[in-house]
Amino acid sequence: MPELPEVETIKLGLQKKIVGLKITKIQINSAKSFIGNPNLVEGKKVLNIWRKAKYLGVDVVPANAGIQLKKSRSELDSRLRGNDNFVTLLFHLKMTGQLIYEDGQRLVGGHPTPDMVGKMPNAHTRIIFSFSDGSHLYFNDQRKFGWVKAVDRGQVTVDSSLKNLGPEPLERGFTWQILKQNLLRHKSMPVKVATMDQTVVSGVGNIYSNEACFSAGLDPRVRVRDLNDEQFKKLYKGIIKSLKDGIKYGGSTRAHFVDAEGHKGYFLDYAYVYGRDKHPCKICGTKIKKIQLGGRGTYLCPNCQKGYNS
DNA sequence: TGCCCCCTGCAG
DNA sequence: CTGCAGGGGGCA
């Protein structure tokens, strides 16, 4: 399910919870959900947690490694490259994956809020990571599309699933010209579909591509070849604004998404078009329309979003 | 570039 | 019952 803001939300939550903890055991309830050798991870401690596009990485090192957590990514990269002892747990949550951390307190007198999920594990718990302090991280995934794999830390950046990703939209270096250049590799595609291509820009999925098009005042069906520079700039700003708002409101919960503590995200309360079929546009009152584009549900305001002919 | 597929559950 | 769901890989 998660797009960039949801994975980022999980990352920020887990960073506060599991960095420094030792993983004592990995229980695999669904064999297809775990790729690689869990023995490479058991007994190691969590060094750091990072996100690239919609992927989440958890670096683990030997419990006695004594590596400073403050080192820069490049320092870590060079030190960890090619060393079999340094392993990354690489996650992709796909449509319904969840990563929920429980320290045990919640079960014996915590203060659950109404948006929390129920007691872990549940029927969709595929993997359980146990930590030496008695806490657990649950990987739940109703549809079993998601996975976690244990990969060599030095190989992770050249992992086939990571190497072709487009630029990170919230990092320095992402410009409207780069967005334009990458989109123009798909001249005949509808702009919304092209924006979801992970080699064009990292992390934008169905919710945020809909919102970005609305924010840009662009009909999602407009072909990339028909965009002018003004529209590329507006789309660029729309992508960044939508993603930042997504993070600000703790992500989007349509059905499954929860953060590392089991809380839902509230971005959809602020969405202009996604999931608002037949509801009035928040700007002009026109009924939001739902269509299919590239096989995905696509929402637009026929009045606010322009540029589509025929 | 557009389909089908992976899988499960829910709404209509 | 059918269709649809925050993704993406593989196939023509």
Side-chain angles (χ1 to χ4, degrees), chain A residues 175-302:
Chain A
T175 63
W176 76 268
Q177 292 95 334
I178 287 173
L179 176 67
K180 171 184 174 181
Q181 178 186 317
N182 290 351
L183 283 171
L184 282 174
R185 291 192 278 107
H186 302 301
K187 289 186 173 60
S188 60
M189 282 176 71
V191 60
K192 183 243 182 185
V193 178
T195 303
M196 290 176 66
D197 181 333
Q198 298 301 294
T199 69
V200 168
V201 53
S202 281
V204 181
N206 203 31
I207 292 177
Y208 297 94
S209 59
N210 273 295
E211 293 301 309
C213 286
F214 179 87
S215 176
L218 259 181
D219 189 303
R221 295 167 291 189
V222 178
R223 305 276 159 178
V224 170
R225 70 162 74 89
D226 294 327
L227 296 180
N228 60 37
D229 281 358
E230 200 54 41
Q231 292 171 312
F232 281 118
K233 284 181 198 171
K234 283 185 180 171
L235 182 63
Y236 167 80
K237 288 180 185 168
I239 288 170
I240 291 173
K241 182 182 187 319
S242 304
L243 294 174
K244 282 189 173 171
D245 284 349
I247 294 169
K248 177 175 165 187
Y249 295 113
S252 298
T253 298
R254 182 199 133 74
H256 299 91
F257 173 73
V258 288
D259 68 14
E261 295 181 302
H263 298 281
K264 294 177 179 177
Y266 291 95
F267 174 73
L268 290 184
D269 292 347
Y270 302 89
Y272 286 95
V273 286
Y274 183 85
R276 302 198 64 252
D277 188 22
K278 298 186 183 118
H279 288 76
C281 173
K282 292 178 179 178
I283 301 298
C284 74
T286 305
K287 254 191 192 177
I288 302 297
K289 183 168 141 189
K290 183 182 183 188
I291 60 173
Q292 288 290 121
L293 213 51
R296 309 299 298 275
T298 298
Y299 303 84
L300 65 136
C301 170

Side-chain angles (χ1 to χ4, degrees), chain A residues 30-104:
Chain A
S30 162
K32 68 163 285 180
S33 303
F34 195 101
I35 301 161
N37 185 356
N39 295 331
L40 294 174
V41 178
E42 286 172 339
K44 293 183 176 157
K45 72 176 178 186
V46 177
L47 178 67
N48 65 329
I49 301 168
W50 50 270
R51 179 193 60 73
K52 171 75 181 162
K54 302 173 191 173
Y55 296 84
L56 186 79
V58 176
D59 293 336
V60 300
V61 295
N64 59 1
I67 291 185
Q68 297 302 308
L69 302 181
K70 299 291 184 207
K71 283 190 187 297
S72 71
R73 268 297 291 285
S74 57
E75 264 183 283
L76 277 175
D77 280 348
S78 66
R79 179 140 179 207
L80 301 185
R81 184 166 298 121
N83 187 327
D84 287 345
N85 285 324
F86 299 136
V87 174
T88 294
L89 284 167
L90 186 67
F91 291 85
H92 200 302
L93 303 180
K94 297 292 179 80
M95 300 286 264
T96 56
Q98 303 173 325
L99 274 173
I100 299 172
Y101 177 79
E102 282 193 351
D103 59 12

